[in-house]
Amino acid sequence: MSADEAAAELARLEAEAAAAAAELKLARAQAALAAARAAAVTTDAAPAEPASAEPAAAEPPAEPASAEPAAAEPPAEAPAAESAQPAAAPPAGGPLDDGEVARIAQGYTFDEATLDLGALMNGAPLPDAQIRIPLAMTNRHGLVAGATGTGKTRTLQGLAEQLAAKGVPVFAADIKGDLTGVATAGEPNPKLLARTEAIGQAWEPAASVTEYFALGGIGTGVPVRATVTGFGPLLLSRVLGLNETQESSLGLVFHYADAHGLPLVDLSDLRAVLTYLTSDEGKPELKDLGGLSPATAGVILRELITFADGGADVFFGEPEFDVHDFLRTAPDGRGVISLLEVPGIADKPELFSTFLMYLLAELFAILPEVGDADKPKLVFFFDEAHLLFRDASKAFTAAIVQTVRLIRSKGVGVFFVTQTPKDVPADVLGQLGSRIQHALRAFTPDDAKALRATVSTYPTSGYDLERVLQELGTGEAIVTVMNEKGAPTPVAWTRLRAPQGLMSPTPAAAVQAVVAASPLLATYGTPVDRESAREILGAKMAAADAAADAAKAATEKAKADAEYAKQKAAADKAQQKAERDAQREYERILRTTGGSTRTSRTREASPLEEILGSKTTQSIIGSVIRGVFGNGRRR
């Protein structure tokens, strides 16, 4: 390296050092100023000294900014300044010193588009230390966790609003019915404005483009249905609570239906196939595949009947929902927020969670690979995620892990929303890049153990996380996300931004009006009942029954004809015998009586006998005889 190059490199390094020193001093000054303002709001006398000291702390950054060549000295002065002003660390009783605050603020400074989560907390909010998620990293999945009432739903709403505003479609399940407020502009109030101003949020009311859906049409929304074939044996086994043997048998039934062109549209189709395969006509058709145990089929049939009687059969049918309709954007470029209403199936949590998994699996199946995009195609919020994994089989959990691991490359981000991280299997947690952890409770030994386990999963930080996680206020969270390079950001205690939409449900009349005007209602509003497995097998079995009845009738007719012929032959034989016996008896009587009978019998004379027996004939014959023999008396 030449002398000129060395000098240039030295100048560059000095300039970078000066800039770093300026940023460090500026961050310290801003942190101290924010802490003093917060202290001034909450106390009357104490803030006097920090308030007088902070203006002096806020001045130093101006010098390096105006005179960079002289900036080589500030790094050496900074430690002296810190030792001379021990009150600056940590400000307002916060757990972090100025250096840690600056490090965290720098860790959440990104060059690309971001979603703003809120302001760093250090005893009080620091509006100049904003906590963000890179937009491109939202397809690396995430977790929003926290006890009931800690603000998870509002966090979900805020993220959904920002994603939609940046042109990213959003899907979320509205468990309690209070997410509909995203479609209505929020209402300002002094408390809200004071909070947002304290965290540096320029809050303005705004409404998002929203589409409402309802499972099977139960509730207010465009009906979302699935066919039993599309749902598949694995997910259905999960819903029915089948064991591994029964799950395997159900898979065999699906295989048979697919191989023989039997569409399984609704639950009645599946019951029809099961009934057929356990009948005398259907048993031979599964012989080469191992057969289907009548006992196992009976269990599955009973579970299906119970499932349908509970009202779940309305979720299955046609027209089947096309998940491409979740990927829509509005004419102005904003993403559409799709809300699936599910309060009507609160008593069917397994079905709800499994149906969401079905939608996610459909997205994985139909979307092309996109790799790492500037922004995701869709962000999928999986609320009440603990319902999905509760009592799940190994095969089901493995399917979820695979889907979550691979769907990122399809441009889909998944955020699991639940109460504690322990609700989500470790293999799934390992795939999550962003974590927003609201307050946790530790009322029981199990809770305390779960809390310690949660703390152990975070990077080292300046917080006592086991304590802080129990002290977080509503709307506050411990945050760590993936930066643009895929590395985790520093752990940040964050006061989260307020949603710009209404934080209460949108009026029912407004929701109904949106649903009535939806262009999707024409496609999915009316159920379709086409010929499916039930009708096909019904016709087949009816034809078989008709053929069996015809064969039975032919057999019975043949038997009757044979019996009639037999009886007729016997009668003819008996008649002939009787006639023979009568003839023999007659001949015997003739022989016995010498040709006469005791009773005179008048026999009808033949014409010849009548002629020969007439008087005229007798007279002529007598004359002839007398003439011939000469014995006639002469007259």
Side-chain angles (χ1 to χ4, degrees):
M1 181 180 293
S2 65
D4 292 341
E5 291 175 343
E9 180 67 14
L10 178 61
R12 185 184 67 79
L13 293 174
E14 288 176 348
E16 288 182 357
E23 290 180 0
L24 177 61
K25 287 188 177 182
L26 177 60
R28 288 173 179 165
Q30 290 173 336
L33 179 59
R37 286 175 177 169
V41 173
T42 56
T43 63
D44 294 326
E49 290 184 6
S52 61
E54 282 173 18
E59 292 176 2
E63 294 181 7
S66 60
E68 286 189 2
E73 294 181 7
E77 293 176 359
E82 288 181 7
S83 61
Q85 301 179 25
L96 306 177
D97 59 27
D98 292 344
E100 189 69 14
V101 169
R103 185 181 72 85
I104 293 175
Q106 182 62 32
Y108 287 90
T109 301
F110 307 111
D111 297 329
E112 305 297 334
T114 62
L115 304 180
D116 296 329
L117 293 177
L120 179 67
M121 289 286 293
N122 193 30
L126 310 179
D128 296 310
Q130 289 293 311
I131 306 303
R132 306 176 177 90
I133 301 178
L135 180 60
M137 292 295 108
T138 53
N139 76 332
R140 300 297 181 93
H141 314 319
L143 174 72
V144 179
T148 300
T150 56
K152 297 191 302 295
T153 302
R154 299 285 77 84
T155 298
L156 189 161
Q157 182 177 345
L159 289 172
E161 290 176 350
Q162 292 190 66
L163 285 163
K166 296 182 183 299
V168 178
V170 173
F171 172 89
D174 192 6
I175 301 296
K176 299 180 287 294
D178 53 2
L179 271 178
T180 58
V182 297
T184 305
E187 299 175 352
N189 60 68
K191 184 177 179 181
L192 173 66
L193 295 177
R195 175 190 171 91
T196 55
E197 183 178 0
I199 63 174
Q201 178 184 1
W203 187 89
E204 292 182 358
S208 301
V209 182
T210 307
E211 187 78 68
Y212 301 100
F213 297 92
L215 279 185
I218 295 181
T220 305
V222 176
V224 176
R225 301 181 183 88
T227 63
V228 172
T229 296
F231 208 70
L234 182 61
L235 295 180
L236 191 58
S237 297
R238 159 72 174 139
V239 172
L240 298 177
L242 304 181
N243 60 32
E244 292 184 1
T245 300
Q246 294 156 357
E247 180 181 310
S248 175
S249 297
L250 187 60
L252 180 62
V253 174
F254 272 73
H255 172 80
Y256 172 83
D258 183 59
H260 290 78
L262 300 174
L264 301 177
V265 175
D266 53 26
L267 295 180
S268 64
D269 292 320
L270 183 57
R271 291 199 300 269
V273 175
L274 276 166
T275 302
Y276 174 73
L277 291 177
T278 53
S279 67
D280 292 338
E281 295 84 357
K283 283 181 181 179
E285 300 198 35
L286 283 183
K287 187 174 295 183
D288 294 337
L289 299 177
L292 179 64
S293 165
T296 299
V299 171
I300 298 173
L301 279 171
R302 288 194 295 272
E303 293 297 335
L304 284 172
I305 292 171
T306 303
F307 189 49
D309 288 345
D313 54 341
V314 299
F315 308 134
F316 298 95
E318 289 182 323
E320 188 170 27
F321 190 78
D322 184 354
V323 292
H324 281 107
D325 288 322
F326 288 147
L327 306 177
R328 295 180 301 140
T329 56
D332 60 4
R334 290 182 295 167
V336 174
I337 298 178
S338 299
L339 294 182
L340 181 68
E341 182 184 353
V342 290
I345 60 164
D347 57 338
K348 305 177 186 65
E350 289 82 7
L351 174 64
F352 146 69
S353 60
T354 309
F355 205 100
L356 293 190
M357 191 61 214
Y358 156 75
L359 295 177
L360 196 60
E362 281 291 290
L363 287 168
F364 174 72
I366 67 173
L367 292 179
E369 295 281 340
V370 296
D372 292 325
D374 293 337
K375 63 181 181 181
K377 285 187 173 182
L378 173 74
V379 174
F380 194 103
F381 287 94
F382 213 128
D383 203 0
E384 300 295 338
H386 64 283
L387 299 176
L388 179 67
F389 300 104
R390 186 174 62 190
D391 301 326
S393 67
K394 292 181 179 179
F396 183 76
T397 303
I400 297 174
V401 172
Q402 181 182 24
T403 301
V404 172
R405 179 183 293 123
L406 300 179
I407 202 170
R408 178 195 65 78
S409 63
K410 304 293 185 83
V412 177
V414 182
F415 276 73
F416 292 97
V417 184
T418 187
Q419 295 186 1
T420 68
K422 71 175 183 179
D423 294 332
V424 181
D427 289 341
V428 176
L429 282 176
Q431 305 299 319
L432 309 182
S434 300
R435 295 178 62 181
I436 302 173
Q437 177 66 63
H438 289 264
L440 291 174
R441 309 291 183 235
F443 296 142
T444 68
D446 288 342
D447 292 340
K449 183 178 179 181
L451 176 62
R452 288 191 293 272
T454 299
V455 170
S456 68
T457 62
Y458 280 94
T460 302
S461 70
Y463 301 110
D464 179 1
L465 288 178
E466 190 168 342
R467 177 179 62 82
V468 170
L469 283 173
Q470 299 180 73
E471 296 177 353
L472 293 172
T474 300
E476 296 179 0
I478 296 297
V479 175
T480 180
V481 303
M482 267 190 184
N483 64 22
E484 295 160 316
K485 298 179 180 179
T489 58
V491 176
W493 180 352
T494 307
R495 178 165 291 176
L496 299 166
R497 294 166 64 93
Q500 294 176 282
L502 199 63
M503 286 189 278
S504 58
T506 292
V511 174
Q512 291 171 356
V514 171
V515 174
S518 172
L520 300 179
L521 201 60
T523 303
Y524 302 111
T526 304
V528 176
D529 186 13
R530 66 180 175 94
E531 185 182 57
S532 53
R534 176 168 55 90
E535 290 81 9
I536 294 173
L537 288 178
K540 182 177 181 179
M541 295 186 75
D545 290 342
D549 291 343
K552 182 178 179 182
T555 301
E556 290 177 352
K557 184 177 183 302
K559 288 182 179 179
D561 291 345
E563 183 66 21
Y564 174 77
K566 181 178 178 182
Q567 292 177 359
K568 187 175 184 303
D572 291 345
K573 184 177 180 180
Q575 183 178 0
Q576 293 172 1
K577 182 176 182 300
E579 290 177 353
R580 289 195 299 271
D581 291 344
Q583 181 65 28
R584 285 196 295 269
E585 180 65 16
Y586 174 73
E587 293 175 352
R588 185 185 67 79
I589 292 172
L590 287 178
R591 288 194 301 270
T592 302
T593 60
S596 62
T597 60
R598 295 182 179 182
T599 59
S600 60
R601 299 177 62 183
T602 303
R603 185 171 64 86
E604 185 177 354
S606 65
L608 179 60
E609 288 176 335
E610 288 179 354
I611 295 172
L612 294 177
S614 67
K615 288 182 178 182
T616 303
T617 304
Q618 290 292 331
S619 178
I620 293 171
I621 294 174
S623 298
V624 172
I625 292 174
R626 283 195 301 270
V628 172
F629 293 99
N631 59 353
R633 184 179 293 178
R634 296 183 180 270
R635 292 184 181 268

